[in-house]
């Protein structure tokens, strides 16, 4: 089976937020929750980069490791999903996730914030595929229909890639080769500029 992954090419992202809007509209995400967001680093300075962030559907998800009620599970496509029926809203997953993917649907005191919400890779939830209950809790199940998440499909610069991790890795490697970075793409010279000799 394919291992479904996201990858955002920071060299191509133009901070248009089309991915954010597509996700909210397709899944009818409630106000106050952004399953996907665009983060800009070095805003307004040389070297500014934007990255589209959501649940990265980790191979060994920390959210699942800390959940006291085991509401997180991994599908056959390696998509990390959770059951809102089992979720108690404790927030452990919120603190464990390095990407800030799980979010409370409401602002308030502990216990009144509701059950956690997160990116589902447009794969729905534990309810039957395409059912009204599944859509009401988790949004669209595009993966069951053979489609990729709408956020990646709506990306005009194709900076946000979604699909089989091996295919995405090859696409990104090809982009890096064509840019001409050579071996210094992620090495010392990129991180520390010309001040360090390799």
């Amino acid at each position: 089976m394919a291992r479904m992954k996201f990858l955002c090419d920071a060299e191509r992202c133009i901070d248009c937020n089309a991915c954010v809007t597509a996700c909210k509209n397709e899944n009818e995400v409630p106000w106050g929750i952004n399953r996907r967001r665009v983060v800009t680093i070095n805003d307004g300075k040389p070297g500014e980069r934007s990255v589209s962030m959501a649940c990265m559907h980790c191979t060994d998800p920390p959210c699942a490791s800390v959940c006291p009620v085991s509401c997180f599970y991994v599908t056959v496509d390696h998509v990390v999903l959770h059951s809102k029926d089992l979720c108690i809203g404790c927030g452990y997953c919120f603190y464990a996730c390095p990407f800030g993917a799980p979010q409370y649907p409401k602002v308030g005191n502990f216990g009144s914030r509701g059950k956690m919400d997160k990116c589902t890779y447009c794969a729905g939830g534990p309810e039957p595929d395409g059912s009204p209950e599944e859509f009401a809790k988790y949004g669209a199940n595009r993966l069951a229909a053979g489609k990729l998440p709408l956020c990646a499909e709506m990306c005009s610069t194709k900076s946000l890639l979604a699909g089989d991790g091996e295919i995405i890795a090859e696409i990104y490697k090809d982009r890096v080769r064509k840019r001409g970075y050579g071996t210094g793409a992620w090495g010392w010279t990129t991180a520390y500029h010309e001040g360090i000799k390799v």
Side-chain angles (χ1 to χ4, degrees), residues 176-197:
V176 170
R177 272 190 231 105
K178 287 181 180 174
R179 289 178 190 146
Y181 291 152
T183 58
W186 300 109
W188 287 95
T189 54
T190 300
Y192 298 103
H193 305 292
E194 61 280 344
I196 303 290
K197 293 195 180 208

Side-chain angles (χ1 to χ4, degrees), residues 37-122:
R37 65 197 179 288
V38 178
V39 177
T40 302
I41 304 163
N42 294 329
D43 195 8
K45 299 176 185 170
E48 176 183 316
R49 294 286 185 272
S50 294
V51 180
S52 181
M53 296 290 297
C55 176
M56 299 306 282
H57 302 280
C58 304
T59 302
D60 185 16
C63 56
S65 299
V66 299
C67 182
V69 293
S70 301
C71 73
F72 288 90
Y73 62 98
V74 180
T75 68
V76 292
D77 291 321
H78 299 275
V79 175
V80 178
L81 297 177
H82 75 299
S83 169
K84 288 188 179 182
D85 292 335
L86 295 176
C87 179
I88 59 173
C90 66
Y92 287 176
C93 56
F94 172 79
Y95 291 108
C97 178
F99 306 106
Q103 298 173 39
Y104 283 110
K106 303 173 194 164
V107 176
N109 296 329
F110 179 76
S112 65
R113 296 179 190 174
K115 298 172 184 271
M116 300 306 275
D117 191 271
K118 68 178 270 311
C119 163
T120 63
Y121 204 88
C122 288

Side-chain angles (χ1 to χ4, degrees), residues 124-145:
E127 281 78 12
D129 290 345
S131 67
E133 296 82 19
E134 181 187 48
F135 184 81
K137 289 182 187 176
Y138 307 100
N141 190 342
R142 294 173 55 85
L143 208 59

